[in-house]
Amino acid sequence: MHQDYIKAAKWSILEEGFDNDRIKSSESLFSIGNGAMGQRANFEEDYSGDTFQGSYIAGIYYPDKTRVGWWKNGYPEYFAKVLNAPNWIGIKVSVNGENLDLNTCKSVTEFKRELNMKEGWYQRSFTATLPNNITIKVQSTRFLSLDLDEIGAIRYNITPINAEAEISLSPYIDADITNEDSNWDDQFWEILTIENDANGALISTRTLKTDFHVATGMINRLSLNNEELNISAKQSTSANKISFTYTVSVSKENTLTLDKFGGYTVSTNHKKNKLNKASKAALQKAFTIGFEKLLKQQKKDWKAIWDMADIEIEGDLKAQQGIRFNIFQLNQTYLGKDARLNIGPKGFTGEKYGGSTYWDTEAYCLPFYMSTKNQEVAKSLLTYRYQHLDKAIENAEKLGFSNGAALYPMVTMNGEECHNEWEITFEEIHRNGAMTYAIYNYVKYTGDFSYIPEKGLEVMIAIARFWQQRANFSSERGKYVILGVTGPNEYENNVNNNHYTNYLAKWCIEYCLQAIDKVKLEYASDYNRIWKATNLSDIELTKWEDVAKNMYFPYCEKYQVYLQQDGFLDKDLITLNNLDTAERPINQKWSWDRILRSPYIKQADTLQGMYMFDDEYSREELKRHFDFYEPFTVHESSLSPCVHSIIAARLGNMDQAYEFYLRTSRLDLDDYNKEVEEGCHITSMAGTWMSIVEGFGGMKVIDNKLSFVPQIPKQWKSYSFKINFRGNVLQINVSKKETTFNLIKGDSLTILVNGNVLKVTDHKEIVSF
């Protein structure tokens, strides 16, 4: 059973009614971000119930020392954590001396939250009766500015309903915060200075170990019935907190308003000795512009994002809400402005996974950003890994590899591996292949091969070296094997010859060899530079070729499928339809021992490779493998439903494709995996976009042309999306009867539709079904 309290709406996430049991889930779902910072939807006023406080700054992390029962050689020494940053949103509220706390109020009615995705703001409203019998109405609106990305704004309205009341509003900054996922309860922050003036304040802090400096600031404006008040605040300062208290007598049905501007300036963008000055300047700028004008700009900036990124679905409100929520969260997390940043699996919505970067970016997020923004944004994601190449080589050296072989980390903030589960850190090496695949995908989509001689080839060479060294020759089989791995299916550890891993190893080597040949012919100076810098030799390349040519792939003649790994058929092959639903999710109901011996698959594994390289497989092969593996797949990874949706659509199984689409698009909204209170699944949200564009729309790049095989779920009347392809912007609208292609930017574009050539110009081209 999944949750269903989120109201369906085209452009908003809506919650109605106050329920203590879903506070933490809503804090995740209503999170806001602007690419530079983000925060969970915590209440501004005090709340004594169960809550998960969270405010985060992009790129600011702490190396929390690894905690394991016993140490293994090669273990990362720390797990990098995106830090819960000083809290600037807080506003303590007192009415006739009674503290406002929804957990202790006599009644809370008309409670409503709205996350307006179209315009980029979050609002909460309620009517509450306090223990002293004063009834108040509150409306709070806040957003994190896209234009001034160091600034957020809050408008907090409070209205006494049944009596005149003395209301005290105490906006504050609190630097006494910790991470929920801390290993050792270390102190992450050191407070340096606390400063204040008439209506503004800041706390200057630095992170221990990593020495990031952050100035957290606020500035306040008070008004009554829209008339600004000029009253003095009572200031209160402690060792780690500063607050201002404004006290006003407010008549019944009158509204007291606090506009609070706050945010972070960080030493990654400013000199440390100029940080406080920069904070004050940013806050003063926002204060001068004012809440309304800043919000107006916010709406304009989000409109520009939606003009390119929106997917419109007609006839299915929940599907429409789902895809927009996914697109919105992706853009709140990463906008492509800074190549030093990347996309964490939870974004700014929680702390699980440390907020660090996984292979999800390369395998899932890159296509979304290439198609909805531009190739420079996509190139920034590739550059992030290029900048970490030396660290990837160090990671491999720690595990015994040599000669410049690189192993990119499973989890990272700065290029170093910081994941400390041995079956992942040492064995889930398929993530290395995703780095080369992303380069390939970028070149295929953009046509920009120049990235390879510029930066990409050095990454690809280091990865090819890793695969050549990681494989060993089996005299028994007369083939190269890769032993002791964990594939994408993390419900199998320490297996031999995982098909996806072996295939990636072979493919990475072959693609690198092809790239070397092309660079040698067309980019001679780059070739000479790279050849010399990497100490390549013809003898080494011959070794690579041998490994790729003679890679082993376990295969079952009986079922005519590639086996997920050598021992898959040794399992008790009971499909999921014979498993009691009360046993699921198995990761919460079963022991790890039982899971590892089961045939159940956490996420697409063999099928992951067949999605990525589907041109290498016939439709019959794809169908056999899908029909064999999907009945064992429990989809207990957020990355799973989207891949299955795309493959199902490619096979024409539209009912199944739609079911998987709904699951991936509403994974968090409906809390399928019963874990949304920990944060949203940001990186898999790109897979939701892929489910529509690559699945239902059938989009691929074939022979340097966009290709479409459009289909439509029976539940929909139509759907439309835009694609930025090599500077051309193409809008595709699919209905029951026809598909319309409209070239919005560009002179002409030749595409393939159902295998047929179609030239699209500045007027609509219609293809009937």
Side-chain angles (χ1 to χ4, degrees), residues 187 207 221 555 762:
Q187 187 70 33
T207 60
R221 175 183 282 129
Y555 188 82
D762 58 358

Side-chain angles (χ1 to χ4, degrees), residues 678-693:
E678 299 174 341
C680 296
H681 296 84
I682 302 300
T683 47
S684 68
M685 290 177 173
T688 305
W689 178 89
M690 287 157 52
S691 296
I692 293 180
V693 174

Side-chain angles (χ1 to χ4, degrees), residues 32 37 39 44 88-89 121-122 140-145 148 150-156 219 258-263 286 290-292 294-295:
I32 55 176
M37 60 177 168
Q39 56 192 212
E44 289 87 1
W88 64 263
I89 71 164
W121 50 263
Y122 162 61
S140 170
T141 305
R142 78 177 186 242
F143 61 92
L144 298 181
S145 173
L148 307 178
E150 296 174 325
I151 295 295
I154 302 171
R155 170 160 286 179
Y156 197 91
I219 190 168
L258 174 69
D259 285 349
K260 180 179 184 181
F261 303 93
F291 186 90
E292 260 115 9
L294 211 55
L295 180 57

Side-chain angles (χ1 to χ4, degrees), residues 5 8 98 128 144 146 150 209 226 245 324 371 383 389 395 398 410 453 455 492 496 519 561 601 629 639 641 711 761:
Y5 72 85
E98 187 80 54
L144 298 181
L146 295 182
E150 296 174 325
K209 295 186 180 180
N226 297 320
T245 299
R324 282 183 173 147
S371 297
T383 300
L389 177 57
N395 293 336
K398 290 175 184 176
M410 187 68 184
K455 295 174 181 173
E492 289 182 323
N496 296 332
V519 171
V561 296
I601 303 169
Y629 284 112
L639 300 175
Q711 301 176 85
T761 55

Side-chain angles (χ1 to χ4, degrees), residues 437 488 499-501 503-504 553-555 560-564 604-629 643-644 646-647 650-651 694 700:
Y437 181 77
H499 179 269
Y500 175 68
T501 303
Y503 190 92
L504 266 183
F553 300 102
Y555 188 82
Q560 290 191 293
V561 296
Y562 288 104
L563 294 179
Q564 190 164 281
D605 193 307
T606 304
L607 294 178
Q608 176 77 33
M610 293 189 163
Y611 152 69
M612 290 164 63
F613 302 105
D614 80 331
D615 291 343
E616 301 298 316
Y617 302 95
S618 68
R619 183 186 176 96
E620 291 72 24
E621 283 180 300
L622 191 61
K623 184 178 188 309
R624 276 200 308 275
H625 286 82
F626 186 84
D627 291 347
F628 181 77
Y629 284 112
V643 172
H644 288 82
I646 295 166
I647 295 176
R650 288 176 179 176
L651 292 173
E694 298 183 10
K700 298 180 188 178

Side-chain angles (χ1 to χ4, degrees), residues 120-134:
W121 50 263
Y122 162 61
Q123 188 173 88
R124 179 175 57 99
S125 58
F126 58 87
T127 299
T129 300
L130 279 67
N132 62 6
N133 294 316
I134 299 293

Side-chain angles (χ1 to χ4, degrees), residues 32 73 93 114 125 158 167 294 312 398 407 426 459 482 537 548 652 695:
I32 55 176
N73 287 336
V93 180
E114 177 181 2
S125 58
I158 180 167
I167 298 176
L294 211 55
E312 187 174 1
K398 290 175 184 176
L407 176 58
F426 303 147
V459 172
I482 300 180
S537 69

